[in-house]
Amino acid sequence: CFPAVELDPHYVRALLRRAELYEKTEKLDEALEDYKAVLEKDPSVHQAREACMVSLSLSKEKNLHVHHLQICKLKDLGNLVLRPFGLSTENFQVKQDSSTGSYSINFVQNPNNNR
């Protein structure tokens, strides 16, 4: 895809252009890797330093969004299994013990009354 980088992996300008292309096509992890490679080869490239910070921030944001979607899908699956019993995931309350880090799960009969 990027023969200049394949021919010379130390070619900073080609790495920078590939990183920009990755960024435009929303391949943020790949862009971040290329920006890091640019900074390893030439720490004075301001564009790479700035883009690296922005990419890292966007990557974290994307991961949080994906995590939220996964939790929603798990809740939907749990509700599908619990529905025949007249229950939902709202009937279960999860609490973390701050001293041990372990979790406890409590059953709540009427979850809408406890809020």
Side-chain angles (χ1 to χ4, degrees), residues 38-108:
V38 167
L39 289 175
E40 285 175 8
K41 290 160 188 32
D42 186 356
S44 69
V45 179
H46 177 73
Q47 179 186 357
R49 195 175 325 111
E50 185 177 302
C52 201
M53 290 187 299
V54 169
S55 291
L56 186 59
S57 172
L58 290 174
S59 184
K60 286 180 183 178
E61 224 174 89
K62 178 182 170 189
N63 288 339
L64 284 174
H65 180 69
V66 167
H67 177 73
H68 176 72
L69 289 176
Q70 289 172 337
I71 295 296
C72 288
K73 286 181 181 183
L74 282 172
K75 281 186 174 184
D76 289 345
L77 177 63
N79 287 333
L80 183 68
V81 171
L82 294 169
R83 190 174 300 125
F85 302 101
L87 300 171
S88 77
T89 56
E90 297 296 316
N91 288 105
F92 299 91
Q93 191 178 53
V94 179
K95 290 184 181 177
Q96 185 177 16
D97 184 337
S98 59
S99 61
T100 64
S102 63
Y103 290 88
S104 64
I105 300 174
N106 299 315
F107 177 75
V108 180

Side-chain angles (χ1 to χ4, degrees), residues 3-42:
V5 176
E6 291 172 16
L7 289 172
D8 182 6
H10 300 287
Y11 187 21
V12 172
R13 179 172 273 180
L15 279 170
L16 201 55
R17 286 186 179 156
R18 186 172 72 176
E20 291 168 354
L21 178 66
Y22 281 146
E23 201 170 10
K24 287 178 184 175
T25 57
E26 296 187 24
K27 295 180 180 178
L28 301 179
D29 293 334
E30 291 89 341
L32 184 58
E33 289 305 313
D34 277 354
Y35 285 130
K36 285 179 182 178
V38 167
L39 289 175
E40 285 175 8
K41 290 160 188 32
D42 186 356

